[in-house]
Amino acid sequence: MTHPLHLAIALFAWLVALTWLWKVVAAAFGLPRVPNLLLSQHDISPAGSPSITVIVPARNEAADITTTLHSLLAQDYPNLQITAIDDRSADQTGAIIDTIASQHPDKLRALHVTELPSSWLGKTHAMALAARQAPTDYLLFTDADVLFRPDAIRRSLAYAVATSADHLITVPTTLIHRWDEAAILGFFQIFSLWAARPWRISNPKAKHDAIGIGAFNLIRREAYEQVGGFESLRMEIIEDIGLGRRIKRAGLAQRLCFGRGLVSLHWASGVGGLVSVMTKNLWAAFRFYIWLALLGCLWLLVFCVAPAAALFFAPTRLPAILTFAVVAYGYRLLGRHSNISTWNALFFPFSAMVFAFILLRSMFITLKQGGVIWRGTFYSLAELRKSAAPLF
């Protein structure tokens, strides 16, 4: 006779497996509907040749800013301007921007921020400042460590114009240098399916399926002004997602596209680098709620780590095998666009534990410090919580 506890555990294991099956089957049908800008029909120029300004905020980015700016200057779309903002850098970032701007005065403009106004994050202030001085039809907000293929902006802008998009994200391709980077970022991509479904981004009724990616946030100027621009997100640490949510809730047209290799970036070096980078902003994604962060860690334990233990328990072995098979297929689906191998599904439970560790570390360090230290500037938790957008 089966012990009632064993039966309950087995039923719960099946619930976990079927929940993952539901999510990945939805992705299998939905992801092919997301436009791929690499297809030949997207190799066109934007109708009407609208003007666009690429805005690149940079603080202490001397190691990467040269490559980023040269990739932007090599774009094959002519009606394009670039504004690079040196945000109080302590290294040679400002001098590098000035040198490149002097070599390309018709394309690149340099701005320098020497003092940060109160109640502003450095990055949002730099982007808002540049946007106010860019009288173009479209704005593209990016980061100072992003690489662009020469046709990236032309293809993206052409699709935005053709589909009357107010906001367009071209999903960046992750550059992987080490196995542990692939393991963590592979988990991050499948975890993100629970936050926003890419195939539902363009659906105006799917209000919770909103997105923004700091590497490539393309927005029509009128839409940017309609949602209040970055002035309305002055203290928002995850400003890219915040902008995407405001656009979606305003009923504006949001689009997401794939295009492997069009836009690329290297997040950080190894697990240590990823832990450091994500510690700053991961708890912010949970709106600085302690209970929500703890609930998120519990979800990670139950849905991502427990299936590994379930492999060693006879009543739960079959649903555990199903869980890992389904998750591996999810890795394969997403890997077609992300450059992350399906084999990284082998690290799924380990990566989930690392992710939970980063979330708890982000929360504890922020609470201990009483705020966030971001690139040399301290922002109090009280002010960040006051400015945080509603959870729902």
Side-chain angles (χ1 to χ4, degrees):
M1 183 175 178
T2 304
H3 193 284
L5 180 59
H6 291 177
L7 179 60
I9 293 173
L11 288 174
F12 193 79
W14 277 109
L15 175 63
V16 170
L18 293 176
T19 301
W20 272 111
L21 179 64
W22 164 74
K23 177 60 68 174
V24 173
V25 167
F29 283 98
L31 287 173
R33 301 202 303 267
V34 178
N36 184 349
L37 295 184
L38 296 181
L39 299 179
S40 59
Q41 62 262 36
H42 298 299
D43 189 12
I44 58 175
S45 295
S49 297
S51 57
I52 181 171
T53 297
V54 185
I55 294 174
V56 189
R59 178 171 168 81
N60 298 333
E61 294 283 2
D64 299 305
I65 189 68
T66 298
T67 308
T68 293
L69 292 179
H70 282 160
S71 74
L72 288 169
L73 289 165
Q75 291 299 298
D76 64 9
Y77 184 64
N79 200 4
L80 176 147
Q81 297 291 319
I82 306 162
T83 300
I85 314 98
D86 167 34
D87 180 23
R88 301 163 294 130
S89 296
D91 62 6
Q92 293 300 306
T93 298
I96 293 171
I97 292 173
D98 285 339
T99 297
I100 301 175
S102 68
Q103 296 166 352
H104 303 273
D106 57 329
K107 281 289 184 182
L108 174 60
R109 180 186 184 194
L111 294 179
H112 295 271
V113 175
T114 57
E115 185 176 349
L116 180 65
S118 62
S119 300
W120 276 95
L121 293 180
K123 185 177 181 181
T124 53
H125 171 257
M127 292 190 291
L129 176 67
R132 286 197 295 268
Q133 300 181 33
T136 48
D137 301 313
Y138 287 84
L139 303 170
L140 171 58
F141 298 98
T142 187
D143 292 324
D145 56 355
V146 179
L147 301 178
F148 294 81
R149 209 173 81 171
D151 55 345
I153 292 178
R154 173 174 57 81
R155 287 178 182 252
S156 300
L157 185 56
Y159 183 79
V161 173
T163 60
S164 300
D166 294 303
H167 181 219
L168 173 75
I169 289 88
T170 297
V171 178
T173 303
T174 304
L175 300 176
I176 302 296
H177 296 172
R178 294 171 37 163
W179 71 269
D180 47 352
E181 297 170 13
I184 302 305
L185 294 175
F187 173 80
F188 185 75
Q189 69 178 3
I190 198 164
F191 177 77
S192 68
L193 290 177
W194 296 91
R197 296 164 291 182
W199 57 94
R200 298 274 289 173
I201 296 300
S202 61
N203 187 337
K205 296 180 180 180
K207 297 296 185 181
H208 294 292
D209 290 298
I211 194 169
I213 296 179
F216 199 99
N217 260 336
L218 175 63
I219 184 168
R220 194 169 55 85
R221 165 166 287 284
E222 288 84 353
Y224 174 80
E225 294 173 349
Q226 181 177 333
V227 299
F230 283 113
E231 283 84 355
S232 64
L233 296 163
R234 295 183 177 203
M235 293 293 293
E236 180 60 74
I237 288 182
I238 47 172
E239 83 296 326
D240 48 359
I241 297 175
L243 181 65
R245 286 173 175 166
R246 291 183 70 87
I247 289 167
K248 195 65 177 287
R249 289 171 181 170
L252 298 172
Q254 191 169 78
R255 305 281 186 264
L256 179 138
C257 298
F258 291 130
R260 185 169 171 172
L262 287 178
V263 183
S264 305
L265 78 159
H266 178 234
W267 271 46
S269 297
V271 170
L274 289 168
V275 169
S276 178
V277 167
M278 296 174 70
T279 293
K280 176 261 299 180
N281 57 15
L282 190 53
W283 192 31
F286 291 76
R287 316 316 296 155
F288 300 107
Y289 288 112
I290 295 175
W291 67 267
L292 189 58
L294 295 176
L295 184 63
C297 289
L298 178 62
W299 186 95
L300 290 166
L301 177 67
V302 171
F303 280 82
C304 306
V305 179
L311 289 170
F312 300 95
F313 183 48
T316 58
R317 186 169 297 129
L318 185 57
I321 291 172
L322 175 60
T323 298
F324 282 107
V326 167
V327 167
Y329 185 62
Y331 272 71
R332 182 183 178 187
L333 290 172
L334 293 163
R336 295 170 182 171
H337 307 286
S338 69
N339 200 33
I340 296 176
S341 169
T342 305
W343 288 105
N344 289 288
L346 294 171
F347 301 106
F348 176 66
F350 163 76
S351 300
M353 289 189 290
V354 172
F355 193 82
F357 167 76
I358 298 173
L359 175 55
L360 291 174
R361 184 174 188 265
S362 177
M363 180 176 70
F364 288 142
I365 288 179
T366 303
L367 289 170
K368 182 180 178 180
Q369 295 176 160
V372 172
I373 299 175
W374 187 9
R375 300 200 172 191
T377 303
F378 177 79
Y379 306 98
S380 73
L381 179 57
E383 194 168 13
L384 291 172
R385 278 177 163 162
K386 182 180 178 181
S387 304
L391 182 58
F392 301 108

